[in-house]
Amino acid sequence: MLPVGDRTCLYRQSELDAVLNNMAWQAGGLIRGKKNVVLVGIVRRGVPLSEMLHARLAAQYDINNITMMQLHIKRYADDLTLLYPETKLTENLAHANMDLTGATVLVVDDVMFHGHSMLRAVEYLATKQAAEIRTIVLVDRGANKLPVRTDIAGIRLDVAPSHIIECNVPPYEADFKIDLLQPRIN
């Protein structure tokens, strides 16, 4: 459950559609002409975001040679409370013997905060022998504490560490939007 506080909608669907179009344009530049491309969505909200990017890459840039994959990684709850002391990646048995040799991999998540989830994803995918791993996030908070960067960030939001960026992404939420929650300090 999210804490009580002041909520401000920063981006609505029409604005986010434009952001995603730009992200797809950038991703298209990274993968155009590549034969083996894998788009990896980090569960939860990274999965529908990767599907939205995939649809745009196919429709707008005729890039259709993309394999879709999901990674289950968890560290924080939506309210940024720590769930696991270490970032937990649950390997899908279908991916256990996957060989990504020579593949260009694009990893998609909703928010880059400290970088724990993205670093864990990159470490895991590197063991699968990917030739190139790129990171894509809808929102980069600019607060990385680990040696991982975003190759494509839709939006950069520098907000207080106690503030929460809520990416509302269908089908998990009804409306596609980004809210800023400023928790009340009691």
Side-chain angles (χ1 to χ4, degrees):
M1 175 182 247
L2 289 172
V4 175
D6 297 321
R7 181 178 310 278
T8 306
C9 183
L10 302 176
Y11 292 87
R12 299 198 183 282
Q13 175 142 1
S14 61
E15 298 158 323
L16 289 176
D17 284 339
V19 168
L20 281 174
N21 286 339
N22 185 52
M23 292 170 67
W25 176 77
Q26 292 179 66
L30 292 175
I31 62 174
R32 186 168 305 285
K34 307 247 173 135
K35 300 290 183 219
N36 188 3
V37 177
V38 180
L39 194 54
V40 178
I42 295 179
V43 173
R44 278 188 13 155
R45 291 169 185 86
V47 172
L49 288 169
S50 68
E51 292 166 352
M52 290 178 206
L53 282 173
H54 181 261
R56 282 168 169 78
L57 289 165
Q60 297 171 6
Y61 304 103
D62 198 32
I63 300 174
N64 296 300
N65 61 326
I66 299 174
T67 301
M68 301 295 288
M69 182 176 157
Q70 299 178 8
L71 280 181
H72 294 265
I73 300 175
K74 199 68 173 165
R75 180 172 173 88
Y76 297 105
D78 288 343
D79 65 356
L80 300 182
T81 55
L82 192 64
L83 293 176
Y84 303 102
E86 295 183 18
T87 307
K88 183 178 179 181
L89 183 144
T90 305
E91 183 174 43
N92 181 334
L93 295 179
H95 303 148
N97 296 319
M98 180 179 275
D99 181 11
L100 296 175
T101 301
T104 297
V105 179
L106 306 177
V107 186
V108 181
D109 204 2
D110 59 343
V111 178
M112 172 77 81
F113 188 30
H114 290 149
H116 292 278
S117 297
M118 192 62 78
L119 181 61
R120 185 67 180 102
V122 169
E123 288 173 335
Y124 171 76
L125 293 164
T127 67
K128 303 293 183 186
Q129 307 304 313
E132 181 179 357
I133 301 171
R134 301 294 186 139
T135 60
I136 301 174
V137 295
L138 181 59
V139 177
D140 185 342
R141 288 189 54 158
N144 295 14
K145 292 186 176 183
L146 299 174
V148 64
R149 69 181 188 318
T150 53
D151 293 298
I152 298 172
I155 302 162
R156 178 161 170 140
L157 295 173
D158 295 314
V159 298
S162 62
H163 294 178
I164 298 169
I165 299 294
E166 283 183 21
C167 289
N168 295 276
V169 181
Y172 299 111
E173 292 84 24
D175 298 318
F176 188 30
K177 64 181 182 169
I178 297 176
D179 287 341
L180 172 66
L181 177 64
Q182 297 169 286
R184 288 195 189 110
I185 300 172
N186 297 331

